Amino acid sequence: MAAARTLVAPRLAAASTFASLHCLRPLLPSRLAPSPRAALHGSAPRPGPRVALVLSGCGVYDGTELHEASAVLVHLSRGGAEVQIFAPDVPQMHVIDHTKGQPSESESRNVLTESARIARGKITDLAQLSAANHDAAIFPGGFGAAKNLSTFAVDGKDCKVNRDVERVLKEFHTAGKPIGPPPATAPWASQLGMAL
């Protein structure tokens, strides 16, 4: 045991010195600051980033593209991120029968309810999302972004953006927090003054 302490002591001392450097604290959020014990083992648990995933329904032609949303969730999970899923509580522009690729005239659906399919029920109204509580926001693809998060599918460059989507994008942009995909690629970026 004494031999182990002798081997570990220099690493603990170095980690304690590193953790106490005040000039580095602004670069390391308090919840990510290294602890002396973390120096002992490379896989010491550290809280991951808090990421908001914003969905636009369920289905590539009238909502979020399922494969893209799933891939994002897998990669965030593997990276240790804490993901919270959001969607606006609004009616879908229309419902597409994905077997035919045609609108289903007799149906109407809610974006939040449809997005809950991907989230397995664990979803929050987009009105509750705040950049202060998250480190990044991701908007997976699918035609729902152009149909349910904005009116781009109908109005093109003169589109209107859902007010909660606009608020969230502006909050994250102003805070300098990552937004994926980059806001400059979103159809409504120029309307929000976010082209990079």
Side-chain angles (χ1 to χ4, degrees), residues 112-177:
L112 181 64
T113 303
E114 287 300 297
S115 297
R117 294 171 184 260
I118 298 171
R120 295 184 173 179
K122 192 173 178 184
I123 193 161
T124 305
D125 186 345
L126 185 59
Q128 304 301 313
L129 175 55
S130 170
N133 299 325
H134 294 83
D135 300 309
I138 299 178
F139 292 75
F143 286 105
K147 294 178 176 180
N148 303 324
L149 301 184
S150 71
T151 62
F152 187 80
V154 175
D155 300 327
K157 66 179 182 69
D158 297 319
C159 72
K160 292 178 179 51
V161 180
N162 171 286
R163 73 179 196 289
D164 285 320
V165 170
E166 181 175 358
R167 176 189 56 77
V168 165
L169 288 171
K170 286 182 175 180
E171 277 183 23
F172 277 85
H173 186 70
T174 300
K177 294 183 177 182

Side-chain angles (χ1 to χ4, degrees), residues 4-186:
R5 279 193 203 117
T6 303
L7 292 172
V8 171
R11 291 187 77 180
L12 282 173
S16 296
T17 302
F18 179 74
S20 65
L21 292 176
H22 295 290
C23 63
L24 294 177
R25 289 194 190 242
L27 302 175
L28 296 168
S30 61
R31 66 185 203 298
L32 297 178
S35 71
R37 290 192 181 262
L40 294 174
H41 196 278
S43 64
R46 283 186 245 166
R50 295 166 296 176
V51 178
L53 186 67
V54 180
L55 303 180
S56 59
C58 182
V60 65
Y61 301 126
D62 58 6
T64 300
E65 205 291 319
L66 191 58
H67 292 114
E68 192 168 327
S70 297
V72 168
L73 286 166
V74 166
H75 286 285
L76 288 172
S77 174
R78 287 182 181 168
E82 177 187 328
V83 180
Q84 187 174 4
I85 303 174
F86 296 87
D89 188 5
V90 297
Q92 283 188 191
M93 180 182 132
H94 60 192
V95 177
I96 299 292
D97 177 342
H98 282 68
T99 63
K100 299 175 185 169
Q102 300 292 322
S104 177
E105 303 300 328
S106 61
E107 288 186 70
S108 65
R109 296 185 183 174
N110 178 281
V111 175
L112 181 64
T113 303
E114 287 300 297
S115 297
R117 294 171 184 260
I118 298 171
R120 295 184 173 179
K122 192 173 178 184
I123 193 161
T124 305
D125 186 345
L126 185 59
Q128 304 301 313
L129 175 55
S130 170
N133 299 325
H134 294 83
D135 300 309
I138 299 178
F139 292 75
F143 286 105
K147 294 178 176 180
N148 303 324
L149 301 184
S150 71
T151 62
F152 187 80
V154 175
D155 300 327
K157 66 179 182 69
D158 297 319
C159 72
K160 292 178 179 51
V161 180
N162 171 286
R163 73 179 196 289
D164 285 320
V165 170
E166 181 175 358
R167 176 189 56 77
V168 165
L169 288 171
K170 286 182 175 180
E171 277 183 23
F172 277 85
H173 186 70
T174 300
K177 294 183 177 182
I179 303 168
T185 65

